[in-house]
Amino acid sequence: MRAPEPLYRLIIIVARALFLINGYRFTMKGEAHVPRRGGAVMAINHTGYMDFVFAGLGARKSKRWVRFMAKKSIWQHKVAGPIMRGLKHIPVDRHAGAGALVEATQRLRQGQIVGVYPEATMSRSFEIKELKSGSARMAQDAGVPILPTIVWGAQRIWTKDVPKRLGRTGTPIHITIGDPIHIGPDDDVAEVTTHLREVMKRMLDETIAAYPEPTGEALRFHPARLGGTAPTYEEAHTKDFSDMRRKKDQFSRKK
């Protein structure tokens, strides 16, 4: 019998009320792929700060709660910190992430669903970046499937380099959960990670194709290769590299 989750349930109720007030319009596909029992790694694309909020809704049809891996600094916030602890999410120290992987794998073995951003950082181009191997390694170690998951539309609300647009926006949000990817004990983690990326790229294109055609300012949140004005994959990579160098220098000065 599953333990009750009063805080998580309350957060979902409040979130859905806010979504209704803000006029968000949801389209869900593949919710049945979320197992009703047992662990799974939910591998989510990362285009906006609210991706995890929307991805978690995709598991509710199966009556599951998702434990998300997120940067440790959120736990230090006076409001968000207690909520993250209460929801049993998993803090990740980006300078020493092994501990988070161990904890997440234990959660998976306990039959929980763990939400992961395999791209590690947000995609400024809104394309699928190169993936880290952690999702596949955790799934293999715990003996659970990977659920490739695409959230599209969250970038229109709050993303990098663009002022956030909270409030009543009426933004369409599409959530697609793909067929589970199973990884055996002898499978090559690198090959599975490559396969996961190809699956997520295909799912992204399919989700975008079903999304309302962007016009005007909305083109800023659409991939350049599809006629949008978002940074190209190469431009986004250059900005990411610059950010990484700056943060590395800041971390070195603090030591």
Side-chain angles (χ1 to χ4, degrees):
M1 184 176 179
R2 293 175 189 153
E5 297 275 355
L7 178 59
Y8 215 141
R9 192 177 299 278
L10 174 62
I11 292 294
I12 290 290
I13 291 172
V14 172
R16 282 179 166 162
L18 290 174
F19 298 159
L20 181 63
I21 291 170
N22 291 331
Y24 300 158
R25 293 173 283 130
F26 289 93
T27 298
M28 303 270 191
K29 182 179 178 181
E31 296 168 280
H33 291 144
V34 179
R36 290 186 174 272
R37 294 182 179 80
V41 175
M42 179 177 275
I44 311 156
N45 70 315
H46 198 10
T47 64
Y49 290 104
M50 295 180 65
D51 292 328
F52 76 99
V53 179
F54 300 135
L57 294 178
R60 292 308 302 139
K61 185 175 182 178
S62 295
K63 299 182 180 179
R64 302 301 302 274
W65 309 105
V66 183
R67 314 301 179 183
F68 291 97
M69 301 181 73
K71 59 184 180 179
K72 187 178 180 180
S73 60
I74 301 175
W75 273 252
Q76 298 167 358
H77 191 277
K78 62 180 180 181
V79 176
I83 292 175
M84 296 297 276
R85 283 187 284 274
L87 300 183
K88 304 174 187 176
H89 295 321
I90 303 168
V92 179
D93 184 340
R94 290 182 176 174
H95 302 289
L101 288 176
V102 170
E103 181 177 353
T105 302
Q106 291 175 341
R107 301 283 195 92
L108 292 167
R109 288 173 177 154
Q110 293 167 3
Q112 298 184 34
I113 295 179
V114 174
V116 182
Y117 293 133
E119 298 165 282
T121 57
M122 200 175 299
S123 174
R124 284 181 159 103
S125 68
F126 312 127
E127 303 278 13
I128 304 296
K129 299 166 61 174
E130 293 294 328
L131 306 188
K132 304 296 184 181
S133 62
S135 298
R137 285 191 284 125
M138 290 190 302
Q140 186 177 60
D141 290 346
V144 302
I146 304 170
L147 302 175
T149 303
I150 297 296
V151 175
W152 190 250
Q155 75 277 15
R156 294 191 179 196
I157 299 168
W158 190 7
T159 190
K160 281 185 176 181
D161 308 325
V162 182
K164 55 178 170 276
R165 297 174 65 247
L166 302 175
R168 188 166 181 80
T169 61
T171 304
I173 306 293
H174 287 209
I175 301 161
T176 305
I177 301 173
D179 293 325
I181 296 175
H182 297 275
I183 175 170
D186 299 321
D187 289 343
D188 185 275
V189 167
E191 290 182 1
V192 174
T193 301
T194 298
H195 174 61
L196 173 62
R197 182 170 186 253
E198 291 304 313
V199 169
M200 292 181 72
K201 286 169 64 177
R202 173 179 54 76
M203 288 174 56
L204 176 66
D205 284 352
E206 291 173 352
T207 302
I208 292 175
Y211 196 82
E213 190 72 23
T215 58
E217 293 181 356
L219 288 170
R220 171 60 182 84
F221 306 102
H222 203 66
R225 68 179 172 87
L226 298 176
T229 59
T232 65
Y233 190 90
E234 293 73 22
E235 290 169 343
H237 179 75
T238 300
K239 289 184 178 181
D240 289 343
F241 183 75
S242 177
D243 281 355
M244 182 180 67
R245 289 293 300 271
R246 175 175 51 81
K247 290 177 182 178
K248 186 176 180 180
D249 290 343
Q250 290 174 346
F251 180 73
S252 297
R253 286 195 294 269
K254 290 179 181 179
K255 292 179 68 176

